[in-house]
Amino acid sequence: MSAEYERTTNASRALFKRANRVFAGGINHNARFYEPYPLFVSKAKGQHIWDEDGHRYTDYWMGHMALILGHSPKPVVDALRRQVANGTHYGMGSELSVELGEEIQKSVPCAELSRLCNTGAEATMYLIRLARGYTGRRVVIKMAGGWHGYNTELNKGVHRPFDRAESAGILEGEQTFVKTVRFNDLEGAEKAVKETGGDSAVIFLEPVLGAGGCIPADVEYLKGLRELADRTGTLLAFDEIITGFRVALGGAQERYGVTPDLASFGKIAGGGLPLGLVTGRKEILGLADPTRKEKFVSIGGGTFSENPLSMAAGLATVRHLRKNAGSIYPSLDRAGAGLRKEVDKEFRERGVEAHTTGLGSLFLTHFGAEPTSAEEESKEDKPMQKKYALSLMPNGIFLLPGHPGAISTVHTVRDIGFLVSESGDFAESAGSKGTAKTRPN
Ligand SMILES: Cc1ncc(COP(=O)(O)O)c(C=O)c1O
């Protein structure tokens, strides 16, 4: 598989070599590295990206799942064109940022007040500060496999063994008050809250575990967490950086019908430009008001917060989604459900045990039993998952190996049909070579 990839990607290989001389590991986000070397992109439009050798791919990575309308959609391009002529950075508020805040308030159930920043990592860092400031408690309960960006405290328990710092250079003391529990396990969460002895500030989770395997929460689990939080004076917070504006206009909280106290957003809300935001109940977010005399929670925004380019792109995207929500989300749901079902069928028919998890337009194919937590997901056949993605690339389909895929509004039935049939071809060769785990007859 790798030989074919290497045969068709000479320019990417050469650029990776150059990149290694200027960037650690040749990359600028760890998730973007895969073996033998990552593709380097020369341009993108609609559902497509082109690599530096000029090959076109149907892209399902979609800029870390941020591009729900595809690459360079017209409403965003038009808004950016207009905005560039009027300034790229004010370092001050504008009507645009107020309008984006209003759109978010109208769309997201928990969004009474928000604070804008530039990345998801910042948003999640501010979220836990607000939770602690409001409750006066210390412990953050997060999920094994839960990814919330590179902020120091939450960089814990993302990978096996799920209870350690993810990095050298993080002091033990910096994560003392972050506890990791199993996803989709209400009893585990109950136990963790109890063990804090009244010191649990917030239960913080992605309603669809993203980096931990694209695994949706059970609805009863989320309802149970809401009840647990209320009963114990703990806050419930959702990291909706992937699910926000993707699994429903109002995110997973709308789709599941469970409203958290706080939530972090990013990705789609910035319309393809950098954006993060923390939102939630007025009495909690209100603590960030700098005129407060007591209990003031100092959170940032940063030099580039509410920069008018991100505002314009985010506003154009969110407005388009809100105006067309009635058709966009059912159609994305149908596409995602169809893809998951058909891909699994291709593998099943060839005796390869594979399960595609996800919700709405999100999907990830696993090789092994269907996972319901990151612990289970970590036992899957990962080399096979990477091989699968790498085998699709020379045929013009891009899935970032080991990461979820995301369907946009511009992916066609034909695109998805092609992914399904190419999966069948891969299953054929994987099954016949006996490299995949095959089901007993
Ligand atoms: C669920 C989740 N939270 C937080 C983040 C961090 O966002 P950013 O990369 O913008 O810092 C990500 C990024 O992939 C994410 O998927």
Side-chain angles (χ1 to χ4, degrees), residues 119-121 124 147-149 206 239 241-242 267:
T119 68
T124 60
W147 172 249
H148 305 289
E206 299 161 83
D239 186 344
I241 286 169
I242 294 175
K267 299 198 194 276

Side-chain angles (χ1 to χ4, degrees), residues 5 9 12 32 34 37-41 49 51 57 393 398:
Y5 176 80
T9 55
S12 289
R32 292 182 195 157
Y34 56 87
Y37 49 83
L39 274 188
F40 280 68
V41 176
I49 50 172
D51 71 10
Y57 302 78
M393 290 182 210
F398 186 77

Side-chain angles (χ1 to χ4, degrees), residues 29 31-32 61 64-65 118-124 146-151 204-211 239-243 264-267 274-276 403:
H29 191 315
R32 292 182 195 157
W61 176 231
H64 292 240
M65 299 164 271
N118 297 295
T119 68
E122 274 176 278
T124 60
W147 172 249
H148 305 289
Y150 283 99
N151 62 59
F204 186 33
L205 75 158
E206 299 161 83
V208 178
L209 205 54
D239 186 344
E240 296 245 35
I241 286 169
I242 294 175
T243 52
S264 44
F265 282 72
K267 299 198 194 276
L275 186 109
H403 291 267

Side-chain angles (χ1 to χ4, degrees), residues 5-78:
Y5 176 80
E6 292 192 50
R7 198 182 62 72
T8 54
T9 55
N10 289 323
S12 289
R13 185 172 49 244
L15 270 171
F16 185 61
K17 216 166 163 189
R18 267 173 69 194
N20 263 290
R21 291 190 211 112
V22 286
F23 304 128
I27 38 95
N28 289 286
H29 191 315
N30 297 338
R32 292 182 195 157
F33 175 75
Y34 56 87
E35 280 172 336
Y37 49 83
L39 274 188
F40 280 68
V41 176
S42 63
K43 64 172 182 175
K45 180 71 192 155
Q47 71 272 51
H48 297 123
I49 50 172
W50 282 259
D51 71 10
E52 290 283 359
D53 285 284
H55 301 122
R56 192 183 83 169
Y57 302 78
T58 302
D59 179 20
Y60 290 97
W61 176 231
M62 280 284 148
H64 292 240
M65 299 164 271
L67 303 170
I68 197 166
L69 304 179
H71 291 279
S72 295
K74 189 169 179 340
V76 172
V77 171
D78 289 348

